[in-house]
């Protein structure tokens, strides 16, 4: 299987690029943010449990997130590969993912980190807030998400670097130019 983690701060373009990658390489896209938003929309018990945390820009606890992720992977036993978007966001999530994939006889092939500076991220998210009305894109909530990113999520990078799986790609520029760079990385596997 070709399994990639698409990594980057809020607004880095993970969702946009994931969509293009799954089309080109016939992979499955699993976005924990999208899964949580679907649960909230459907008012499932999980949705009710996490809606406040997400609205406040906090991370959902690892146990809940990992269980949801594993269930989603199990729904796709025939997948040629998976793009993980928004997961793992903590080191325990990364460890859990490694163990889980190993138990299925597979592994993460590579981790692609989209590099985008803070100014550009803030501009993009302000625009997205106007377009989609996502409540956690509001300025005060966004601040919390950026904090969570720098407190917890960045530590995932050295975890994968130690496994020689980390590749950084410039996330600023035309969508298609970034996509070409990502494709060049995926083609090496
Ligand atoms: P972003 O656009 O910030 O990358 P996502 O759509 O991926 O955001 O996620 C939105 C929110 O869902 C996060 O701010 C967090 O509250 C929750 N969430 C998503 N993925 C995870 C995860 N792996 N661990 C914990 N919380 C998560």
């Amino acid at each position: 299987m070709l399994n990639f983690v698409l990594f980057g701060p809020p607004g880095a373009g993970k969702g946009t690029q994931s969509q293009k990658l799954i089309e080109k390489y016939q992979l499955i896209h699993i976005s924990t943010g999208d899964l949580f938003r679907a649960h909230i929309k459907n008012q499932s018990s999980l949705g009710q449990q996490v809606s406040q945390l997400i609205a406040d820009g906090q991370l959902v606890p690892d146990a809940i997130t990992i269980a949801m992720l594993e269930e989603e992977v199990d729904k796709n036993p025939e997948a040629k590969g998976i793009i993980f978007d928004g997961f793992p966001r903590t080191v325990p999530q990364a460890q859990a993912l490694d163990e889980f994939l190993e138990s299925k006889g597979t592994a993460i092939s590579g981790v692609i980190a989209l590099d985008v500076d803070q100014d550009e991220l803030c501009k993009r998210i302000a625009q997205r807030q106007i377009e989609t009305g996502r409540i956690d894109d509001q300025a005060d909530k966004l601040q919390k998400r950026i904090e969570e990113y720098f407190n917890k999520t960045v530590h995932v990078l050295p975890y994968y670097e130690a496994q020689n799986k980390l590749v950084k790609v410039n996330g600023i520029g035309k969508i298609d130019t970034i996509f070409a760079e990502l494709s060049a990385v995926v083609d090496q596997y």
Side-chain angles (χ1 to χ4, degrees), residues 49-105:
Q49 232 179 318
V50 304
S51 67
Q52 195 58 52
L53 288 172
I54 291 184
D56 289 343
Q58 294 183 55
L59 290 186
V60 174
D62 284 337
I64 297 177
T65 308
I66 291 165
M68 179 183 73
L69 185 279
E70 293 184 351
E71 194 186 313
E72 193 63 24
V73 172
D74 282 335
K75 282 185 195 158
N76 294 285
E78 306 296 327
K80 279 175 59 183
I82 299 174
I83 304 277
F84 295 95
D85 162 4
F87 186 97
R89 259 180 160 92
T90 64
V91 172
Q93 289 181 14
Q95 287 164 335
L97 181 61
D98 275 351
E99 280 168 30
F100 180 65
L101 292 179
E102 196 184 340
S103 77
K104 301 191 167 300

Side-chain angles (χ1 to χ4, degrees), residues 126-164:
Q127 185 58 33
R128 186 167 74 183
Q129 218 277 318
I130 295 167
E131 284 164 9
T132 70
R134 247 178 76 172
I135 156 171
D136 61 339
D137 280 344
Q138 287 167 4
D140 54 330
K141 309 296 161 50
L142 174 62
Q143 200 46 49
K144 182 72 201 165
R145 278 160 60 208
I146 292 177
E147 242 174 76
E148 292 280 68
Y149 180 78
F150 285 104
N151 285 335
K152 298 175 185 160
T153 306
V154 281
H155 305 299
V156 171
L157 289 173
Y159 176 85
Y160 286 118
E161 206 161 22
Q163 297 184 14
N164 272 323

Side-chain angles (χ1 to χ4, degrees), residues 20-56:
K20 295 175 76 75
L21 286 170
I22 62 167
E23 275 167 33
K24 178 163 181 184
Y25 295 97
Q26 252 104 69
L27 306 173
I28 305 270
H29 176 213
I30 300 184
S31 155
T32 42
D34 287 350
L35 291 172
F36 284 132
R37 279 185 289 277
H39 275 285
I40 292 170
K41 194 165 168 231
N42 299 331
Q43 300 185 328
S44 72
S45 67
L46 175 62
Q48 289 171 10
Q49 232 179 318
V50 304
S51 67
Q52 195 58 52
L53 288 172
I54 291 184
D56 289 343

